[in-house]
Amino acid sequence: MSSVTKKRPKPRVRNSTHPLQLLPREPSVALFPSKNELLKLFSVVVIAASVAGSCNYAVYFFNRQAKPFCESIDESYDPSADLCEPCPGNGWCSSGKLECFPGYKKHGRNCIEDGIINQTTRELSELLEQHVCDAYGQVLCNEPGRIWFQESDMMEIIEHHLPKNSINMNDDTSTFVKNKVMETVESILETKASYNRIKEFKCPDFLAELHKPLGCRVRQWIYKHLGIMAATLGLLVGLTKFILSIRHKSKLTTRAEQLYEQICEILQENAMRTRSGDNEGEPWVVASWLRDQLLLPRERKHTTLWKKVEELILEDSRIDQYPKLIKGESKVVLEWQVDGLLAEMLKKKFAMKAKAISNLGISSYASDGKKPQIAES
């Protein structure tokens, strides 16, 4: 019988892992919200708080009741009681209601100045000042006018120009405007009280000077500065005459020199022609003939020009001037006196000039296609 070998079971090996080790050592990231989720949550909370606050304020605003104004005549008002609102300046409070003084208008729960009334007051003040000063300015110019104006006269002017319909004034507002205008004018104009205690107004002298008529101011300025203007005018006239005389002398001298040069050329050519051997003409020229030949008709009326030319001729040693009997009448003649080398130079110059003129004539004939004709001897 075979022996059966029995195997002993192996002992179980115990797991030595601790139960706490089954948990993770670090918490998972999914357990906490991300940064974007936190921002969204914060935004939702802020919006909810804003909506709640706005609704609460709206309910308070629409459900509240305005406090009444404190009485203006009530001097026992206690600011700490907070039972009524103090009456603002420029206003009168009665039975909890506000009424603004004349010249002011209600703006919310305050009284502010009325711009239209202020503008009307300013325009009336300027108009009244202009009326009074214009009248005094006419008196200063010896014209019909007025110096002093009584208060009643001033009120009439204001009444005449007060635009009641344009700004819908009531009696209180009209009275306020009149008083305001009178206060403004009184600070500008001079005032005095007459024997019966009536106030009178007068424009200051320095303002009246500015309100004189324009023609009067011009006349007074001319009369005041007449001496200076006469001296200035005389100086200008004298200076103008002096400048014109210098200019006239300069033109006269220039013209005389031109005539003198022309006379010298004429005398030179005449002298060269008579000494060239042709024996044509006289070596002298009558001075009066030269004068009538060279001067323009309007220049012959002024003897100063020809006298200036005669002075230049007398100063020239090349020109000889002497009287000569011509046709039974004594006349002054001019003759060019040239000898020696200078005469030869002038003779050559005259010959060259004559040759140039001859060549010019031949060229002009050639350009026309014609031959010059020589006269038969």
Side-chain angles (χ1 to χ4, degrees):
M1 180 176 177
S2 62
S3 61
V4 178
T5 305
K6 294 182 180 181
K7 295 182 180 180
R8 297 177 62 182
K10 295 181 180 180
R12 295 180 179 178
V13 180
R14 292 184 177 181
N15 191 1
S16 62
T17 304
H18 197 273
L20 295 177
Q21 292 181 354
L22 296 176
L23 297 175
R25 295 182 180 180
E26 295 182 358
S28 176
V29 180
L31 293 177
F32 297 97
S34 63
K35 184 182 294 185
N36 294 333
E37 292 176 347
L38 288 175
L39 291 176
K40 292 180 180 179
L41 179 62
F42 180 74
S43 301
V44 171
V45 172
V46 170
I47 293 173
S50 301
V51 172
S54 301
C55 293
N56 187 20
Y57 178 77
V59 171
Y60 170 77
F61 180 80
F62 287 109
N63 291 334
R64 71 169 185 171
Q65 294 182 354
K67 296 179 183 179
F69 288 103
C70 301
E71 298 291 332
S72 298
I73 59 175
D74 188 7
E75 298 180 355
S76 61
Y77 166 68
D78 185 8
S80 61
D82 198 19
L83 298 177
C84 59
E85 185 175 347
C87 187
N90 305 320
W92 178 265
C93 298
S94 177
S95 301
K97 296 181 180 180
L98 172 64
E99 293 291 337
C100 295
F101 292 149
Y104 296 88
K105 62 180 180 179
K106 187 181 292 186
H107 182 73
R109 298 179 66 81
N110 293 312
C111 291
I112 61 174
E113 292 184 354
D114 193 338
I116 299 177
I117 294 179
N118 289 338
Q119 182 179 358
T120 303
T121 303
R122 183 172 60 255
E123 292 176 354
L124 289 174
S125 302
E126 294 175 355
L127 179 65
L128 199 59
E129 176 189 346
Q130 182 178 0
H131 182 83
V132 175
C133 291
D134 286 347
Y136 187 23
Q138 292 179 352
V139 173
L140 295 178
C141 291
N142 298 324
E143 297 179 2
R146 190 174 177 181
I147 300 178
W148 290 96
F149 287 80
Q150 294 184 357
E151 189 173 4
S152 59
D153 300 329
M154 308 284 277
M155 296 301 293
E156 288 181 2
I157 298 173
I158 296 175
E159 286 284 352
H160 180 69
H161 294 89
L162 188 63
K164 292 183 178 180
N165 297 330
S166 60
I167 57 177
N168 297 323
M169 286 188 180
N170 52 26
D171 294 338
D172 294 337
T173 305
S174 178
T175 304
F176 171 79
V177 171
K178 293 177 184 177
N179 295 333
K180 193 73 173 177
V181 170
M182 294 303 297
E183 290 177 3
T184 305
V185 171
E186 190 172 354
S187 63
I188 299 174
L189 304 180
E190 297 179 3
T191 59
K192 74 173 184 178
S194 60
Y195 64 93
N196 52 358
R197 295 184 179 180
I198 297 178
K199 189 178 292 186
E200 295 183 350
F201 298 86
K202 169 182 169 292
C203 181
D205 294 339
F206 72 94
L207 283 180
E209 291 289 336
L210 301 177
H211 285 266
K212 289 180 180 179
L214 181 60
C216 173
R217 281 189 282 178
V218 172
R219 291 195 304 269
Q220 290 184 352
W221 186 89
I222 293 175
Y223 180 77
K224 184 178 180 180
H225 301 86
L226 186 60
I228 298 176
M229 292 181 62
T232 304
L233 183 61
L235 181 62
L236 290 176
V237 172
L239 183 61
T240 304
K241 288 185 176 180
F242 177 72
I243 294 175
L244 291 177
S245 63
I246 292 178
R247 185 178 179 183
H248 178 69
K249 288 181 180 180
S250 176
K251 293 175 64 176
L252 188 67
T253 303
T254 303
R255 178 60 177 160
E257 291 176 353
Q258 292 177 354
L259 294 173
Y260 166 72
E261 292 177 358
Q262 293 178 6
I263 291 173
C264 290
E265 291 180 359
I266 293 173
L267 294 177
Q268 288 178 13
E269 293 179 0
N270 186 59
M272 292 299 101
R273 185 174 61 254
T274 55
R275 296 180 184 181
S276 61
D278 296 338
N279 295 325
E280 294 181 359
E282 299 292 339
W284 45 262
V285 179
V286 180
S288 59
W289 296 352
L290 287 175
R291 180 194 61 194
D292 297 338
Q293 179 68 25
L294 298 177
L295 291 181
L296 298 175
R298 66 173 181 272
E299 294 176 341
R300 297 173 188 172
K301 300 178 182 179
H302 305 285
T303 58
T304 308
L305 177 60
W306 187 249
K307 288 182 179 180
K308 189 70 175 177
V309 176
E310 290 178 345
E311 291 177 0
L312 295 176
I313 293 174
L314 289 175
E315 294 174 357
D316 195 343
S317 61
R318 300 170 300 176
I319 301 175
D320 191 9
Q321 182 177 354
Y322 55 90
K324 190 174 183 63
L325 188 64
I326 301 175
K327 295 181 181 181
E329 185 179 355
S330 178
K331 294 183 178 295
V332 178
V333 297
L334 303 176
E335 184 178 354
W336 186 262
Q337 301 293 333
V338 180
D339 294 325
L341 181 61
L342 183 58
E344 293 295 331
M345 293 174 61
L346 292 175
K347 186 175 181 181
K348 291 181 180 180
K349 179 180 178 182
F350 180 76
M352 293 176 62
K353 187 175 182 181
K355 185 177 180 180
I357 294 174
S358 177
N359 293 335
L360 181 61
I362 294 173
S363 61
S364 63
Y365 280 117
S367 61
D368 294 339
K370 298 180 181 180
K371 294 183 179 180
Q373 296 180 358
I374 302 175
E376 295 180 357
S377 58

